[in-house]
Amino acid sequence: MSNVGLRIFTQVKRPPQALIEGFAGIPVANIADNMNRMSCMNAKIRPISDVSLLGPAFTVKSRPGDNLMLHRALDLAEPGDIVVVDAQGDLTNSIMGELMASWAKQRGLGGFVIDGAIRDVGALKKMGMPIYAAGITPAGPYKDGPGEINVPVVCGGVVVHPGDILVGDADGIVVIIPRDAEMLLEKAKEKSRQESKVMEDIAQGAWDRRWVERELEARGAVVVQENS
């Protein structure tokens, strides 16, 4: 008998590790530019350190301010998994701190993305684990449930499914559906090559800026010479 809202799904279809690792070192912005800027978590999800994030999503949906299901997820997630928590953006109570993050690191988990609050941030910054969150508060969590594990969640305004590829850097996080990953990887690599060329042009003072006038002309911009 199913108990909707209090369920744990143990099976996650993870992408091949080689495919995930292909995104290592590629700026999140370059990936997102090839997704029509539609798959980035919003600006409230911020990193607490400069450790980049990369791995498959292991999702948790929790009641605001409650971390019972997150505790269970820490024991079920596999090494390299990114634990993604939909706590509905509530910042009243933290749902994770130093003890839980230390256990996750001991188990080899790949990091956290929490649409909610965390605490013990001074210790978390020194841990060497990628952790993103919507806010910080010393107020601790409840452990009553309900919640679900490995269901579609919303984090930072983006739907995340178990097994989606998450890439995070100082700018934020992009969510990649595995079926799109190979195509996006090639496009993101090409975008990075193009930007490297532009940086060389800038250094030489030779950046071709004519495209700006072409775009304005195409939109009917009018150039007015006299003072208004």
Side-chain angles (χ1 to χ4, degrees):
M1 176 173 159
S2 181
N3 189 7
V4 177
L6 193 58
R7 299 178 297 185
I8 298 171
F9 296 92
T10 59
Q11 300 300 311
V12 177
K13 187 176 181 181
R14 297 171 177 83
Q17 187 61 29
L19 179 58
I20 296 173
E21 292 176 355
F23 289 95
I26 300 179
V28 166
N30 289 0
I31 300 169
D33 281 356
N34 286 286
M35 302 176 77
N36 288 291
R37 286 91 173 186
M38 293 294 290
S39 296
C40 294
M41 293 187 185
N42 60 38
K44 72 178 183 179
I45 306 295
R46 301 304 307 155
I48 67 163
S49 70
D50 59 0
V51 183
S52 59
L53 177 145
L54 178 64
F58 189 97
T59 65
V60 180
K61 187 174 182 63
S62 69
R63 182 173 65 84
D66 192 284
N67 73 356
L68 180 60
M69 278 298 182
L70 175 54
H71 268 285
R72 186 61 182 132
L74 297 186
D75 297 329
L76 294 176
E78 296 185 0
D81 283 350
I82 307 298
V83 180
V84 180
V85 185
D86 176 0
Q88 301 180 45
D90 183 79
L91 303 180
T92 308
N93 298 83
S94 62
I95 61 170
M96 191 195 75
E98 181 181 8
L99 296 180
M100 296 175 74
S102 296
W103 179 238
K105 185 175 182 180
Q106 171 67 26
R107 296 202 62 245
L109 305 191
F112 290 90
V113 182
I114 297 179
D115 200 340
I118 60 175
R119 66 178 180 178
D120 304 328
V121 70
L124 297 184
K125 286 181 177 180
K126 301 174 184 177
M127 196 167 289
M129 171 177 279
I131 299 173
Y132 291 68
I136 301 166
T137 180
Y142 300 98
K143 295 176 173 59
D144 303 314
E148 296 193 318
I149 292 177
N150 286 323
V151 296
V153 299
V154 176
C155 191
V158 179
V159 175
V160 182
H161 295 84
D164 283 354
I165 299 172
L166 304 183
V167 187
D169 60 20
D171 285 342
I173 296 173
V174 66
V175 181
I176 302 169
I177 298 173
R179 68 169 179 266
D180 299 328
E182 290 188 15
M183 173 269 295
L184 285 170
L185 180 56
E186 293 308 312
K187 287 188 173 182
K189 287 180 177 178
E190 176 58 28
K191 175 73 172 179
S192 294
R193 287 191 288 267
Q194 292 173 359
E195 290 203 347
S196 295
K197 176 60 169 61
V198 171
M199 288 300 295
E200 291 177 4
D201 291 343
I202 291 173
Q204 297 170 8
W207 190 10
D208 186 354
R209 305 290 296 157
R210 291 174 294 179
W211 68 270
V212 179
E213 292 189 33
R214 289 196 299 267
E215 291 296 325
L216 289 171
E217 183 179 353
R219 287 160 176 74
V222 176
V223 177
V224 181
Q225 300 293 343
E226 65 269 18
N227 294 330
S228 59

